[in-house]
Amino acid sequence: MPRTAAALLLAAVSLSVLAACQERQYRLEPTETTEWEARNKQIFPAALIEFSDSAAEQLVKKLYNLPRIRNTDGEVTIILGDLNNKTQIVSTNDFEMMAQRLRNNLLNSSIAADKLTFVEERARMQRLANKERVAGVTGGVADPAAYEADRTYALTGDFYRVSRDAVNQYYMQFQLVSFATNQIVWSDRMDVKQQQYQRKP
């Protein structure tokens, strides 16, 4: 093979290998934030994960230690109500991921398993029962009423954002509402602050 042809072939192979290396995918830790993510004004995926993990742990501990709950005989039922996205920047998909991770952490927490029972809201279960035509479900899931009002609560939350140029401040507020009195018996908040990555000139 002439030297020129061999050199061209070698160059083509080298370029092919280089392109393959450049397109190679790398596995990252879920809590790692890349430069590409940091350039985006959206909340970091890692921050959503860390928030859902820490929020769930704090929520369970604080709810478990509420005198109103600790002093109630037997188990207390907490219905997982609405978590509302009012940030105007966090996408529905991103928010749902965070909300579902938070729910999952609450449902699987062993900290207060002897006292707190977390359940799905009935309307969601009814929609699923209707869709799948589950036998025996007529007037509503778990009818007649399965929960006693004086030991049943709804846990709701709202997620807000304040933006200042390259900085976003996120605020999550949780409330525990009594079904017996409609009283907000407990409220707590958590904050996440994030600065967008900016390259130096």
Side-chain angles (χ1 to χ4, degrees), residues 21 23 26 30 41 59 93 99 115 121 134 138 147 156 168 177 185-186 197:
C21 291
E23 295 175 0
Y26 295 91
K41 290 192 73 172
L59 280 172
N93 186 68
K115 190 69 177 179
E121 59 181 358
V134 178
T138 52
Y147 314 122
T156 62
N168 284 313
V177 185
V185 300
W186 174 82
Y197 171 84

Side-chain angles (χ1 to χ4, degrees), residues 24-193:
R24 184 177 178 185
Q25 293 182 339
Y26 295 91
R27 185 183 182 281
L28 303 171
E29 290 300 320
T31 54
E32 182 178 348
T33 296
T34 66
E35 181 179 330
W36 290 270
E37 291 171 313
R39 291 175 186 167
N40 196 300
K41 290 192 73 172
Q42 295 274 8
I43 189 170
F44 299 155
L48 291 173
I49 290 175
E50 291 170 2
F51 177 81
S52 60
D53 288 351
S54 62
E57 184 177 358
Q58 291 180 51
L59 280 172
V60 172
K61 288 180 179 178
K62 290 179 178 180
L63 293 175
Y64 184 71
N65 288 307
L66 280 177
R68 177 185 290 264
I69 289 179
R70 290 294 298 272
N71 297 333
T72 299
D73 293 332
E75 289 189 345
V76 170
T77 299
I78 297 180
I79 297 175
L80 297 175
D82 293 332
L83 294 178
N84 300 307
N85 180 8
K86 299 185 178 183
T87 62
Q88 298 182 333
I89 190 174
V90 178
S91 71
T92 300
N93 186 68
D94 288 359
F95 184 79
E96 282 299 315
M97 183 278 287
M98 184 275 292
Q100 292 305 319
R101 186 181 177 91
L102 176 64
R103 283 169 172 261
N104 184 269
N105 288 337
L106 290 173
L107 291 167
N108 288 284
S109 174
S110 59
I111 297 175
D114 62 320
K115 190 69 177 179
L116 301 179
T117 300
F118 293 95
V119 299
E120 185 58 86
E121 59 181 358
R122 185 172 299 197
R124 186 173 185 178
M125 295 302 295
Q126 182 64 54
R127 288 194 298 271
L128 183 61
N130 292 339
K131 177 182 176 183
E132 302 300 331
R133 301 174 66 184
V134 178
V137 180
T138 52
V141 177
D143 280 333
Y147 314 122
E148 298 177 23
D150 61 349
R151 62 175 67 233
T152 305
Y153 301 84
L155 181 64
T156 62
D158 295 298
F159 200 26
Y160 300 90
R161 173 185 67 106
V162 174
S163 179
R164 294 292 184 272
D165 195 16
V167 177
N168 284 313
Q169 178 84 27
Y170 296 93
Y171 172 82
M172 188 72 170
Q173 177 177 281
F174 293 97
Q175 292 184 330
L176 190 70
V177 185
S178 167
F179 275 96
T181 63
N182 289 333
Q183 178 187 3
I184 299 173
V185 300
W186 174 82
S187 182
D188 200 5
R189 68 182 189 275
M190 298 175 187
D191 297 273
V192 175
K193 195 169 187 177

